[in-house]
Amino acid sequence: PQPGRCGHFVQRKGRFCRMVPAPGRRFCGEHGQEEEQSDRKRIPCPLDPKHTVYEDQLQKHLKKCNSREKPKPVYFVQDINAGLKDVAEIPEKQVSLSSLSIEELQNLIVKLKKASNGLELHLKEEILSHQALQEALNDPKNGESAFKHLKQQASILGNMEKLHLLGPGRCFVEFGAGRGKLSHWVDVALQNVENVQFLLVERATTRFKVDGKHKRRDSIFERLQVDIQHLCLDKVPILEKKKLLVVGIGKHLCGAATDLALRCLVESYSACCGGEKEEPAAKRCRTVTTEVVPDTAAGNDSNPEDHKPVAGIVIALCCHHKCDWTHYVGREFFKSVGLGPVEFHYFQRMSSWATCGMRETTSKASTSEESEDQTHDTEEHEQTFSTAESGSDTWQGILTVEERKEIGCLCKRLIDHGRIEYLQQQGYKAALQYYTESAVSLENVLLTAVPSPSLITEPT
């Protein structure tokens, strides 16, 4: 054993225990019972049975155990962004995609094409860049995987700049922040801009964060370790205090997390801010006109009551197969075209055909997409699909690879269109566009939204 470490040899790991024993002891508390004769009994911790504790010290241990339930932050509001509360609308038993007969599958495809008829399926390309990333993009030290991530981040920033979202007096909320790379580059792009705040929302503890790279004193970074489902932005202290305009951003926000983020921004936050009674609006804010063309189709006028505290939303979408009817914001759209939770259940699974329908080419492409630095924790999702989701052998000979890919893309666009209609109904001008090439990322669609008409509430 190493000096100062436990002398117990862990058979299953093939090495000595690395815990530090108490002064004067050879073994740590976990292994002292096994190696030493002791009358004290160790029992599994009731909070986490993966470790043990002396029975006579249980109460003391429970007060400091790392697995104990920690106090909820002030911005935690149970299920505030969850969506559907009536579980009666959700079928009790969902039949897997692979269990469907050929006729049932064909009926689903007919429904899919009928519902998609008239929708804008050919998205515009907005593959942009930003000077903030030019040095990194030209750095030969970056490998292929890092280069692909940088191209995506550069295009996201380019689209944000085009929508006039990179400016002072903003709070950038990065949903599913991971290591915080996207916020980092936004910070670099705003190096000469004052009064900028960043909120990095991530429910998991994250290693290898880039937070330490933020050298500017006039921009503030804060991490919110909370599930988006329970995040009430209106209760975040910095937003309560400063009343900054919010810009919601995200790079590859998996499935239902996108719906939760949209509801967090345009329902729970906007509703709370819209109900403020602290000061007359004329004293508290001024009206700013952006260059975005108003969305006349949304049927909104320039009533001051329609002003939004959310300046914009820019989210790179992904993992539609992880969407959930309970959280989905486009349920009303699905119902309007004669679809419901059953069809949604199958369409979200069939959506994976768009990326894994091409079995041979996808394995390499998706691998290069996943992580910027594989020696660190993965920054984004792992694209793993079950046999039922990928369609695999069940539809071989019935649907070609290209047909499966086309159907998968159609499912994605249908789900995304529900999100667009939801945003339009909430008073936003929303759009979908390709923000990078498919060779860079198979998940290459960006959702953008700005208040419509082009009037937003900006604090003075």
Side-chain angles (χ1 to χ4, degrees):
Q2 298 177 9
R5 303 287 178 171
C6 177
H8 177 81
F9 187 81
V10 185
Q11 293 290 342
R12 66 185 182 85
K13 293 186 177 180
R15 60 169 175 77
F16 285 94
C17 173
R18 293 173 180 169
M19 296 294 289
V20 178
R25 292 186 176 274
R26 184 184 173 193
F27 303 101
C28 67
E30 193 75 22
H31 300 119
Q33 185 80 11
E34 301 176 29
E35 302 284 354
E36 300 173 345
Q37 295 295 327
S38 175
D39 295 333
R40 301 176 71 190
K41 181 181 179 182
R42 291 189 71 87
I43 59 174
C45 173
L47 299 178
D48 181 7
K50 292 181 180 178
H51 65 274
T52 63
V53 60
Y54 283 116
E55 188 174 27
D56 58 4
Q57 290 187 335
L58 177 60
Q59 295 306 316
K60 180 180 178 181
H61 170 79
L62 292 177
K63 294 178 181 179
K64 61 180 182 180
C65 179
N66 289 332
S67 298
R68 72 191 185 281
E69 185 177 359
K70 298 174 178 61
K72 296 291 190 295
V74 293
Y75 46 78
F76 180 97
V77 178
Q78 185 72 37
D79 294 330
I80 187 173
N81 305 313
L84 186 64
K85 300 296 191 296
D86 185 9
V87 294
E89 192 175 328
I90 303 173
E92 292 183 5
K93 186 177 181 181
Q94 302 279 15
V95 179
S96 65
L97 191 61
S98 59
S99 301
L100 295 178
S101 65
I102 296 176
E103 183 179 359
E104 288 173 322
L105 176 66
Q106 290 172 337
N107 287 337
L108 273 175
I109 295 174
V110 169
K111 285 185 178 182
L112 173 66
K113 292 183 177 180
K114 183 179 178 181
S116 304
N117 188 31
L119 301 184
E120 182 56 55
L121 302 176
H122 301 287
L123 305 184
K124 184 180 178 181
E125 281 194 357
E126 290 288 351
I127 303 175
L128 308 177
S129 190
H130 196 281
Q131 59 183 4
L133 289 94
Q134 289 310 305
E135 183 178 347
L137 284 167
N138 295 327
D139 188 348
K141 294 180 181 178
N142 287 318
E144 181 183 4
S145 179
F147 180 70
K148 289 183 176 182
H149 279 270
L150 290 168
K151 286 194 70 174
Q152 294 174 68
Q153 289 154 347
S155 184
I156 291 173
L157 262 67
N159 277 277
M160 291 175 67
E161 186 174 54
K162 184 177 181 180
L163 294 172
H164 308 283
L165 296 178
L166 297 176
R170 302 287 201 270
C171 177
F172 295 90
V173 183
E174 183 179 357
F175 294 94
R179 295 169 59 200
K181 276 296 188 70
L182 183 56
S183 290
H184 167 71
W185 288 116
V186 173
D187 183 45
V188 173
L190 297 174
Q191 57 183 335
N192 297 319
V193 177
E194 298 179 352
N195 196 20
V196 178
Q197 167 78 35
F198 291 89
L199 295 176
L200 280 61
V201 183
E202 178 60 61
R203 66 181 178 182
T205 54
T206 307
R207 301 173 65 198
F208 309 108
K209 297 185 285 288
V210 297
D211 301 28
K213 294 184 178 181
H214 309 139
K215 305 296 184 183
R216 300 196 306 126
R217 294 181 179 179
D218 52 346
S219 64
I220 303 171
F221 281 77
E222 181 181 351
R223 279 191 173 264
L224 308 180
Q225 189 175 339
V226 62
D227 194 307
I228 304 170
Q229 182 171 331
H230 313 301
L231 172 61
C232 180
L233 283 176
D234 188 53
K235 293 183 181 294
V236 176
I238 190 70
L239 291 178
E240 276 191 312
K241 180 181 178 181
K242 291 192 174 183
K243 306 297 180 186
L244 297 172
L245 280 172
V246 164
V247 178
I249 60 176
K251 177 172 174 282
H252 290 174
L253 197 55
C254 285
T258 293
D259 300 298
L260 295 172
L262 294 179
R263 195 175 283 109
C264 175
L265 290 165
V266 307
E267 282 191 54
S268 61
Y269 182 62
S270 296
C272 291
C273 291
E276 292 171 357
K277 297 182 180 179
E278 298 175 356
E279 297 177 292
K283 293 183 180 180
R284 180 169 48 83
C285 59
R286 60 188 176 88
T287 301
V288 176
T289 303
T290 68
E291 297 180 16
V292 181
V293 179
D295 183 8
T296 54
N300 294 319
D301 54 27
S302 57
N303 189 328
E305 294 180 358
D306 292 334
H307 295 169
K308 306 293 183 184
V310 176
I313 301 170
V314 180
I315 295 175
L317 306 171
C318 83
C319 292
H320 294 71
H321 67 285
K322 292 185 178 180
C323 289
D324 185 279
W325 178 258
T326 304
H327 304 311
Y328 182 50
V329 296
R331 292 191 301 266
E332 292 304 317
F333 162 70
F334 258 62
K335 292 175 183 177
S336 71
V337 292
L339 303 174
V342 175
E343 290 81 8
F344 182 85
H345 166 77
Y346 293 122
F347 291 164
Q348 50 123 183
R349 281 157 176 74
M350 290 160 65
S351 69
S352 65
W353 292 359
T355 51
C356 72
M358 307 174 291
R359 304 303 295 180
E360 295 180 359
T361 58
T362 303
S363 58
K364 293 182 180 180
S366 62
T367 299
S368 62
E369 173 192 343
E370 294 312 320
S371 176
E372 189 167 344
D373 187 353
Q374 291 291 352
T375 61
H376 295 168
D377 286 354
T378 53
E379 180 182 11
E380 298 171 341
H381 55 278
E382 293 290 343
Q383 275 197 350
T384 55
F385 304 99
S386 66
T387 303
E389 287 172 336
S390 65
S392 68
D393 299 335
T394 308
W395 317 122
Q396 296 289 348
I398 302 171
L399 297 172
T400 66
V401 168
E402 285 303 316
E403 285 173 334
R404 288 202 305 277
K405 179 186 175 184
E406 181 183 351
I407 291 169
C409 289
L410 208 56
C411 290
K412 283 176 174 283
R413 296 295 77 80
L414 190 68
I415 292 172
D416 289 339
H417 187 79
R419 291 164 168 166
I420 294 297
E421 284 214 356
Y422 165 79
L423 288 168
Q424 289 174 348
Q425 290 168 3
Q426 295 291 332
Y428 288 82
K429 176 181 172 62
L432 298 169
Q433 53 264 317
Y434 292 119
Y435 77 102
T436 192
E437 300 90 349
S438 57
V440 172
S441 173
L442 293 175
E443 299 282 16
N444 61 341
V445 174
L446 189 72
L447 183 152
T448 62
V450 291
S452 174
S454 55
L455 298 174
I456 56 177
T457 302
E458 181 161 325
T460 54

